[in-house]
Each structure stands twice: as structure tokens, then as C-alpha cells.
Amino acid sequence: MPAILGIYYVLSFSRFLQNTALFLASMFFYSWGEPVYALIMLFSIAANYVFGLLIACSGKAATKKRFLFFGIAANLAALFYFKYTHFLLVNIDPSGYLETLVPLVALPIGISFYTFQAMSYIIDIYRGRVAAQRNPIYLGMYIAFFPQLIAGPIVTYNVIEDQILYRKTTWHKFSIGFCRFVTGLGKKVLIANNMAIVADRIYEMAAFGSLPASLSWLGAASYTLQIYFDFSAYSDMAIGLGLLFGFVLPENFDYPYCAKSVTEFWRRWHMTLGQWFRDYVYFPLGGSRVGNLDLLVRNLFVVWLLTGLWHGAEWTFVMWGILQFVCMVGEKLFSFEKMRLSRAKHLYLILVIIISFALFRSDNLPAASVYYAGMFGFAGFWSDFTWMFVKENLVVYLAAILFCLPVSRRFNYMLVNGNYGWAGKLAMGTYPALILGIFLLSLTYLVKGAYNPFIYFRF
């Protein structure tokens, strides 16, 4: 990171050289962990570059649509082969014979993210929202941009088109970017990873049979906190790194656990994925303006079935997507968001999210059924392990709950701007020390080899 930053700012006299440096750095970064599958990335860049030009240069609407179809098919074919082939073969032939005919391949990291970005590029050209990129290196930089390559946020081409050539780098952006990166690093290393220790240990215990309800709920709640702080941390780090290079990337989380319905939750959680499905699936199907309840339900079902499958090739993800669909349809039918009793609605949301993430975390449906049996009291209610885990991680739990709330945003605002009188000015003076402390403490955890799982490997 220091090396590419130095190179980037030395090349500030040429935007072309800066973009080329970022593209090469991104490919180096990807090749470090995926040396063979970097070729798949290069193929994706080349194919979408060609399809983009073909769509832009075609005079007839039918020809444009034909090239768009082949471009989308090529992107989805690569995604399907690596991510869903064996899932499909196992479900077609439970004996496993068909599976032996196709070699087992590892899932290229980040393929779900960069495939969606590539498809948004050619779709937006077809819609006339953006112009085709004539420089393949610039397109490659967009698709392979290393800060958000492997865990999002998903950046559509229309968001970044002008920034490719006309972004500005300033000390203000740089300082905000560094602080945002450190904030994300702290969320990941200090909170998410410690929540992962509890969640993973409890789920390992559940592999041997149902657990008491208190322990099962603690494991599900711990995973609910882990996945938020893990994923939002990666988004914070990506947005921060983007700012170091002058790029303004879209926000991906807006305190989703403060929502009061599943519908609102999905306006706040992984917002770029929701916006992608809204713009490229839901709206083309007719959205909510179809004037027919059956069509509305169909549109929501398609979106949430695809959203579940996007997260992984396993029935747990399919059922998780269907659960979100059922809750959202129920909320629309009963005008749930217009109801009062906000505390009861918030409690409902938290219960639904914890229950649904218990399914999301399970390896398969039988494992999920065993875990749910524990959550609903079929193996008793109390375990001494529950108190042990809470006692050993009490500070982390309190920090996790606190920073799920907008109070963290207000606290950050006070620190940065020095509002709220003398206390605010004092806090403002301590902000650099706080950021540096988080940075050094996070590095200490990483250097000593603390537990550091990456949830989104499987996506």
C-alpha cells in the first residue's frame, strides 16, 4: 500500500499513468492470492471491453440487444461455472456420478462482485446512460480496482465514469480516507474478529447436536454482530482507500440494525447490492408499479431468489433469500411500515435478522434445523458456557452494540468538528491520538496472528 501510494502521487502529472499504475497494482494484488484466476479477471475485462464497443457502435436496436444478450450470457456463464456447477450437479444427481465428470474448481475470490460490476457497464451502455470506454486499461482499472475488488461495495460504471479522468486528490480527502480506513480496520480486527471467535466456537459445538437455547441465541447474535462489523468494515476500508486515490465510492451501510422493518433493513444493509438488483432486475421486471399484486409478488420473489443465490451455492442461502421475501411481502400486505409501536417493530426486526442469519451461517439445511432446535428450546435453556462467553467478551459486546447505533456517528462528528463546547474541543484534540491508537492496536492483533476469518471468501 505505501508503495502504490508513493508511485501514484509521483505520477500526478499524468492521469493516464496514474490509472495504469492502479490497474497494474490491482492485477498484482489479485494475482498474489489468485495467480491462475487472474486470467479469468483479464478475460472478463477484455470480453466486456469488446462487448461495450460493439453495443455502442451498433446502429440498430436489435443488434445492440443481441450484443447485450451475448455479453450478459458470457458474464453469467463464467460465474455459473465456477460458483454453481457442482451445486447443480449434486442436486440433479445425488449419487455423485455427474459431479465426478466435472473437475472441482476453486471459487475465484470476488467473482460475484466484479461480474456484477462488469454487467452494469455493458447494460448502462445499452441504456445510453454511459459512453463506452475506449481505453481498455481504464476499464480494467474500474473492474479490478483493488480497494473494493473482493468485498465491495459494488460500484456501477455510471458512478465512477467521470472520476476515471476528472477526480481530484486533496489533503482533505486523504486525511478523511485514512481515518475511514483505520475505522474500518478497527471494526474488523477488534470487534468482528472477536465476535467470530464466539460465533464459530458455538457453531462448532452445535455440529455435535442441539445446544441449549441461551447458548444458541448467543451464537446467532454474535454472528449477527460479526457479519455486520466484518462486512461494513471492509466497505469502510474500501471507501477510505478510494479517497486516498481521489475516488468517492458509494456508501454501503447505514446503521441497518436501527431499522424497524425488513424492508427498511434492506435499504440500509449492503446498499450497493440492493441498488444493483433494483436497477437491473426489479425495475426491468416492472418494480412495484405493475398494478397487480401477483406481479409484484413475482418480482420480489425473483429478486430475493437471485439475492440468495448470489451469496452462495447452497440451499441455506436460497431459503434465507426466500425468508427475506416472505417477510417483505407480509410487510407490504399489512402496511407494516405505516404502523406505530416503533419499539415493537424494532424488536421484530432484530428477531427476524438474528433468526435469518442463523440460517445464513449454517453449512447446510440439516445443520440449520439442528441449530434452530436449540434456539427454540428443544435441548434446554441454560448453559454455563453462555455466561463464560459473555463474561470473557463483555467489553467487545458493549462496543459492538454501541457502534451499531448512530451515537457513533455523532461521536465521530464531535471529535472531528469540536462541537459541544469545551468537551468537544478537548475531544477534537484527541482525535488524531485515537485514530493512531486504533491503527496500532489493530496492527498488534494482526502481527501476533490473532483470529482473522474472511466471511466473504464464499461469496
Side-chain angles (χ1 to χ4, degrees):
M1 186 61 199
I4 185 57
L5 269 177
I7 293 170
Y8 181 81
Y9 280 96
V10 166
L11 298 174
S12 58
F13 61 88
S14 170
R15 183 66 80 203
F16 169 76
L17 292 178
Q18 283 186 318
N19 288 341
T20 301
L22 286 178
F23 170 65
L24 294 176
S26 297
M27 293 308 305
F28 176 80
F29 170 79
Y30 194 77
S31 301
W32 188 268
E34 302 277 9
V36 175
Y37 291 142
L39 297 175
I40 304 298
M41 168 78 73
L42 290 172
F43 172 79
S44 175
I45 293 168
N48 285 285
Y49 174 74
V50 171
F51 280 117
L53 291 178
L54 290 173
I55 294 169
C57 296
S58 300
K60 296 182 179 179
T63 307
K64 287 179 181 286
K65 186 175 292 187
R66 191 176 298 117
F67 283 131
L68 175 65
F69 172 81
F70 286 122
I72 293 175
N75 281 289
L76 291 179
L79 181 62
F80 185 88
Y81 174 74
F82 286 104
K83 194 166 184 177
Y84 304 105
T85 299
H86 280 266
F87 175 69
L88 179 65
L89 294 178
V90 167
N91 284 279
I92 291 177
D93 177 24
S95 70
Y97 173 72
L98 289 178
E99 188 180 7
T100 62
L101 301 179
V102 179
L104 183 64
V105 293
L107 180 67
I109 191 170
I111 190 172
S112 297
F113 290 94
Y114 72 72
T115 299
F116 271 31
Q117 292 195 173
M119 285 197 295
S120 79
Y121 167 69
I122 59 175
I123 293 172
D124 283 350
I125 293 175
Y126 174 78
R127 292 176 173 178
R129 297 178 67 185
V130 299
Q133 178 55 253
R134 304 288 173 171
N135 189 322
I137 292 177
Y138 291 179
L139 181 64
M141 183 196 67
Y142 157 68
I143 292 177
F145 190 47
F146 74 89
Q148 46 79 229
L149 170 63
I150 61 174
I154 297 172
V155 182
T156 54
Y157 187 72
N158 64 298
V159 169
I160 211 169
E161 180 185 21
D162 291 338
Q163 298 186 58
I164 291 175
L165 287 177
Y166 305 114
R167 66 186 179 276
K168 294 182 179 180
T169 52
T170 65
W171 280 114
H172 183 65
K173 273 187 178 180
F174 194 95
S175 64
I176 293 175
F178 179 76
C179 294
R180 184 71 180 268
F181 172 80
V182 172
T183 300
L185 183 66
K187 287 166 66 175
K188 164 62 179 168
V189 175
L190 304 179
I191 298 181
N193 287 357
N194 283 293
M195 288 292 94
I197 294 173
V198 179
D200 290 352
R201 181 68 184 122
I202 292 175
Y203 271 87
E204 287 170 4
M205 295 167 68
F208 298 97
S210 296
L211 301 176
S214 63
L215 192 58
S216 299
W217 278 95
L218 180 66
S222 298
Y223 181 73
T224 300
L225 291 170
Q226 178 201 351
I227 194 171
Y228 169 67
F229 282 100
D230 191 281
F231 194 14
S232 67
Y234 282 117
S235 295
D236 286 338
M237 287 189 277
I239 292 168
L241 291 176
L243 286 170
L244 297 185
F245 298 110
F247 287 98
V248 179
L249 303 181
E251 294 291 339
N252 215 19
F253 289 87
D254 182 21
Y255 298 99
Y257 294 157
C258 292
K260 295 180 176 63
S261 69
V262 174
T263 303
E264 183 187 355
F265 176 84
W266 282 104
R267 296 192 198 109
R268 294 168 172 257
W269 177 281
H270 201 348
M271 295 187 290
T272 56
L273 178 66
Q275 289 162 2
W276 197 97
F277 274 111
R278 180 197 66 193
D279 292 344
Y280 300 107
V281 178
Y282 188 62
F283 284 169
L285 288 173
S288 58
R289 300 181 179 181
V290 289
N292 184 307
L293 181 61
D294 292 342
L295 292 178
L296 172 61
V297 171
R298 180 208 64 182
N299 296 347
L300 287 172
F301 178 78
V302 170
V303 166
W304 283 103
L305 177 64
L306 294 177
T307 301
L309 284 170
W310 181 88
H311 281 87
E314 181 55 63
W315 283 111
T316 51
F317 294 115
V318 175
M319 297 307 297
W320 171 83
I322 292 175
L323 177 59
Q324 309 305 311
F325 156 75
V326 170
C327 290
M328 293 182 74
V329 169
E331 289 174 4
K332 288 185 179 296
L333 288 175
F334 294 101
S335 300
F336 184 79
E337 289 191 294
K338 296 180 180 179
M339 295 181 182
R340 298 184 179 180
L341 301 173
S342 60
R343 291 183 181 178
K345 290 165 65 176
H346 184 248
L347 177 62
Y348 147 80
L349 181 277
I350 295 300
L351 289 175
V352 168
I353 294 305
I354 291 176
I355 291 170
S356 65
F357 273 141
L359 176 61
F360 193 91
R361 172 61 178 77
S362 299
D363 293 329
N364 49 55
L365 289 180
S369 65
V370 171
Y371 200 88
Y372 279 140
M375 291 180 73
F376 291 102
F378 287 90
F381 292 93
W382 180 251
S383 167
D384 290 338
F385 282 108
T386 305
W387 174 237
M388 182 195 75
F389 283 125
V390 171
K391 183 173 63 174
E392 290 182 352
N393 297 276
L394 183 60
V395 173
V396 181
Y397 279 114
L398 292 176
I401 294 170
L402 175 66
F403 290 109
C404 279
L405 305 174
V407 65
S408 59
R409 178 187 289 166
R410 297 191 187 101
F411 179 67
N412 190 68
Y413 183 79
M414 180 182 71
L415 288 175
V416 173
N417 296 286
N419 291 347
Y420 305 101
W422 66 268
K425 288 181 169 53
L426 178 63
M428 181 181 178
T430 63
Y431 188 72
L434 178 63
I435 290 295
L436 184 61
I438 293 172
F439 185 59
L440 293 177
L441 187 59
S442 300
L443 288 184
T444 301
Y445 270 79
L446 292 174
V447 168
K448 76 173 186 177
Y451 191 52
N452 189 33
F454 178 47
I455 291 177
Y456 274 71
F457 262 129
R458 61 196 301 192
F459 308 143

